[in-house]
Amino acid sequence: MRVLVTGGTGTVGSEVVKALLARGAEVRVLTRDPAKARLPEGVTAVEGNLLDIPTLRRVFTDVDGVFLLNAVSPTESQEALLAVSAMRGSAVRHLVYLSVHQVDGAPWLPHFGAKVGIEAAVKASGIAYTILRPDNFFQNDVWYKDVLLQYGIYPQPLGDVGTSRVDVRDIGEAAAIAFTQSGHAGQTYDLVGPEVVTGASTAAAWSEALGRPIAYGGNDLDQWEQQALTMMPDWMAFDIRHMYAHFQEKGLRASPGAVARLTTLLGHPPRAFGAFAAECAAAWKA
């Protein structure tokens, strides 16, 4: 199985690459700068980007599968739709698309709404597809290492309703299984954790893992956005701020059936947040 992975150097894509390699796939990673791409041995870097038409005419001609991950950006929809258009009539036999959990519940959010249209295009493309809909990633918390360790604060304003956060290693496994095992064409999977967590319960999990008090930073989104503007462009801070508002009002909670279905897909229960936090704490102390 020859698979081209987009976003293969990022948090999710790198786990997809690892999982595909573990299952014997031939893996290629699309990257703008192969010289800077740190890829595992045996992975081929393919130079290009999805807004470049010569790239689109070239990269899908001799691969069996494509893992399509489009970064949150003002061009997210355009990149994905160009790619799907280019795949039609190519050698691609299976497309695995990374969407978002309960995407239909908040289509006004730019990075949710973009994925609604992309999902529709994937389904109508004529290519065998699998859609993966992950919840908020455990690994996002690595960004908060310094805040956790230096200030004893957990700052992600997840709210009090709860989300079913997921470990990106489970996303990587699910994608690789979809490519390398039969029976997943035409399927959509919610990629979620085994428990519903809140901002306060996440802070408590970090307290236990780190062996020191960690306080939840609270639900003030005005304050969060002002801080975020020091680290990201205003359009992204605005988008994510409203995503957190949706979390705080409605949550992003998985059903027991979704957890059971993912357990069957993976062949093991999805990873729990407490175990992830304990792993990080041990690594940070090493």
Side-chain angles (χ1 to χ4, degrees):
M1 186 75 177
R2 298 166 298 176
V3 180
L4 177 71
V5 178
T6 69
T9 60
T11 301
V12 174
S14 61
E15 292 297 333
V16 174
V17 169
K18 291 176 188 176
L20 283 167
L21 287 174
R23 288 162 175 79
E26 177 186 316
V27 183
R28 305 175 189 183
V29 169
L30 184 66
T31 175
R32 292 173 183 268
D33 191 346
K36 293 182 179 179
R38 297 181 179 179
L39 300 173
E41 185 177 353
V43 175
T44 301
V46 178
E47 185 173 3
N49 73 83
L50 295 181
L51 290 176
D52 176 62
I53 301 306
T55 295
L56 294 169
R57 295 189 188 281
R58 169 175 47 88
V59 296
F60 304 125
T61 59
D62 61 348
V63 292
D64 305 303
V66 174
F67 179 77
L68 184 60
L69 182 162
N70 302 102
V72 175
S73 76
T75 60
E76 179 177 357
S77 289
Q78 182 73 350
E79 291 181 36
L81 296 178
L82 285 171
V84 172
S85 293
M87 285 181 226
R88 298 183 74 239
S90 73
V92 175
R93 294 187 287 109
H94 196 164
L95 168 59
V96 176
Y97 173 59
L98 191 77
S99 184
V100 68
H101 190 208
Q102 297 179 1
V103 65
D104 299 318
W108 59 86
L109 297 172
H111 76 284
F112 275 50
K115 293 174 176 66
V116 172
I118 297 165
E119 282 196 10
V122 167
K123 291 177 180 178
S125 68
I127 303 167
Y129 68 86
T130 305
I131 293 172
L132 306 180
R133 290 179 164 184
D135 207 292
N136 184 277
F137 309 150
F138 292 171
Q139 280 74 7
N140 289 348
D141 286 9
V142 175
W143 301 343
Y144 310 129
K145 175 184 175 182
D146 291 343
V147 179
L148 288 163
L149 296 181
Q150 295 179 25
Y151 300 101
I153 299 286
Y154 180 71
Q156 188 174 199
L158 294 173
D160 307 318
V161 178
T163 64
S164 298
R165 303 183 70 197
V166 65
D167 193 304
V168 296
R169 291 170 291 187
D170 290 339
I171 301 174
E173 282 188 43
I177 289 167
F179 280 120
T180 60
Q181 296 181 10
S182 62
H184 305 295
Q187 298 298 309
T188 298
Y189 295 103
D190 293 332
L191 302 189
V192 294
E195 59 196 345
V196 173
V197 301
T198 64
S201 74
T202 303
W206 279 116
S207 296
E208 181 175 352
L210 295 170
R212 54 175 292 189
I214 302 294
Y216 176 46
N219 298 333
D220 187 332
L221 294 178
D222 290 332
Q223 182 181 40
W224 180 88
E225 186 175 7
Q226 288 305 306
Q227 180 63 29
L229 286 169
T230 66
M231 300 177 286
M232 63 182 68
D234 58 356
W235 61 264
M236 183 178 287
F238 182 88
D239 185 358
I240 297 175
R241 179 240 171 89
H242 286 276
M243 178 193 73
Y244 286 133
H246 178 62
F247 288 0
Q248 290 182 12
E249 180 182 1
K250 301 292 187 181
L252 206 68
R253 303 162 63 106
S255 67
V259 177
R261 189 166 185 249
L262 179 58
T263 299
T264 299
L265 175 68
L266 296 175
H268 62 77
R271 292 169 171 88
F273 183 79
F276 165 78
E279 288 178 29
C280 287
W284 294 346
K285 292 175 183 177

